[in-house]
Amino acid sequence: MGPGPDAAYARIRAAIAVAAARVGRDPGDVEVVAVGKTVAPDRIRAAVAAGFRTIGENRVQEAASKFEAVNAGLDPRPTWHLVGPLQSNKARRAVTLFDVIETVDSIPLATRLDRLAAELRPGRPYPVLVQVNVDDDASKAGLAPAAVERQLAEILALPNLRVDGLMTVGRLVAAAAAARPTFVALRRLSERLRAREARLGAALSMGMTDDFEVAVEEGATIVRIGRAIFGDRPGPPGALR
Ligand SMILES: *Cc1c(COP(=O)(O)O)cnc(C)c1O
């Protein structure tokens, strides 16, 4: 189970500070999403108490089953990010639970979220990230790099969404440095798109337990960390689940 969330918080923030210093960034510009999939609510609450204010879940159902237990009595409650794929039949539930959906990966999904946001939270544009499959990896979700410009323009035109930035899930790599090209590609894509699209925010969600320091060096503003906080998940090594 590891040494506990207090030590994890100090260790991860220190590692972010070192990585940020190497490239002259402010470590305060990097938010940690504590990914709590498979983790019981009491352990997530301990992580919140240790300082992790943002929780990530990759399944709507699982988030729904833990949401009340994690938030109970906390004021402010932690912020919740959806970091896994969203099916349209779960979109309504997702908008009611999550503060941010990081995984908008199609125009139909974006359109559905836009309508739901207008209905469920009128006047408050809903924060999302657009997921890009920068490696063009058939096993990964996200807009294809070749199509991202045209599709992003359509998503940015939706009045009830606020597109804070881009997100990617990197390839599984043996060494952290091998993830760098993916992170560089997402940063460059964001810069290129923002030069033309004033409505696209500058957030970059990239990097996980094995490679978040490299992601911070390459400009990540959100890192999504599970195992370094909660220990290994059940299941085959390396699996996202
Ligand atoms: C599980 C998961 C993470 C966290 O992975 P760790 O390797 O445990 O840090 C990050 N992002 C997504 C999309 C995930 O599903």
Side-chain angles (χ1 to χ4, degrees):
M1 206 177 251
D6 290 306
Y9 186 78
R11 188 163 29 78
I12 289 166
R13 287 307 327 182
I16 289 171
V18 169
R22 279 198 287 267
V23 294
R25 296 188 59 204
D26 178 353
D29 291 341
V30 182
E31 176 183 12
V32 176
V33 173
V35 180
K37 63 194 181 202
T38 77
V39 178
D42 57 327
R43 295 186 60 219
I44 297 176
R45 283 175 69 85
V48 174
F52 296 103
R53 306 299 312 173
T54 305
I55 306 303
E57 288 287 342
N58 70 335
R59 296 182 183 199
V60 176
Q61 211 90 326
E62 181 174 347
S65 77
K66 298 195 285 195
F67 191 76
E68 291 304 333
V70 171
N71 290 342
L74 298 180
D75 186 16
R77 66 164 179 77
T79 299
W80 291 70
H81 285 210
L82 180 64
V83 301
L86 177 57
Q87 294 158 358
S88 68
N89 63 339
K90 301 208 174 99
R92 175 177 293 271
R93 195 86 178 99
V95 170
T96 63
L97 290 171
F98 290 97
D99 302 289
V100 180
I101 291 178
E102 294 200 13
T103 48
V104 172
D105 61 358
S106 75
I107 291 170
L109 176 60
T111 306
R112 176 136 176 76
L113 293 175
D114 179 71
R115 285 205 205 101
L116 286 165
E119 175 193 333
L120 298 170
R121 33 178 299 149
R124 281 192 307 143
Y126 188 63
V128 299
L129 302 182
V130 168
Q131 184 173 358
V132 183
N133 186 1
V134 275
D135 295 325
D136 236 341
D137 175 344
S139 71
K140 292 269 153 39
L143 300 184
V148 72
E149 246 162 275
R150 181 182 52 78
Q151 292 177 315
L152 187 70
E154 286 192 46
I155 294 170
L156 290 170
L158 297 167
N160 304 295
L161 297 185
R162 190 186 84 199
V163 184
D164 286 344
L166 305 180
M167 176 268 200
T168 199
V169 179
R171 283 164 299 177
L172 262 189
V173 290
R180 191 180 299 273
T182 301
F183 303 149
V184 171
L186 192 71
R187 169 167 48 81
R188 291 203 178 129
L189 180 66
S190 165
E191 287 165 355
R192 191 157 57 75
L193 295 168
R194 278 185 295 125
R196 254 177 296 158
E197 298 279 12
R199 291 194 67 205
L200 175 62
L204 289 175
S205 175
M206 56 190 195
M208 318 196 293
T209 288
D210 292 328
D211 52 23
F212 71 89
E213 289 119 312
V214 177
V216 168
E217 287 176 5
E218 296 302 343
T221 65
I222 299 173
V223 292
R224 310 178 307 265
I225 301 182
R227 288 169 299 132
I229 301 168
F230 298 112
D232 285 339
R233 290 180 289 275
L240 275 184
R241 176 84 207 166

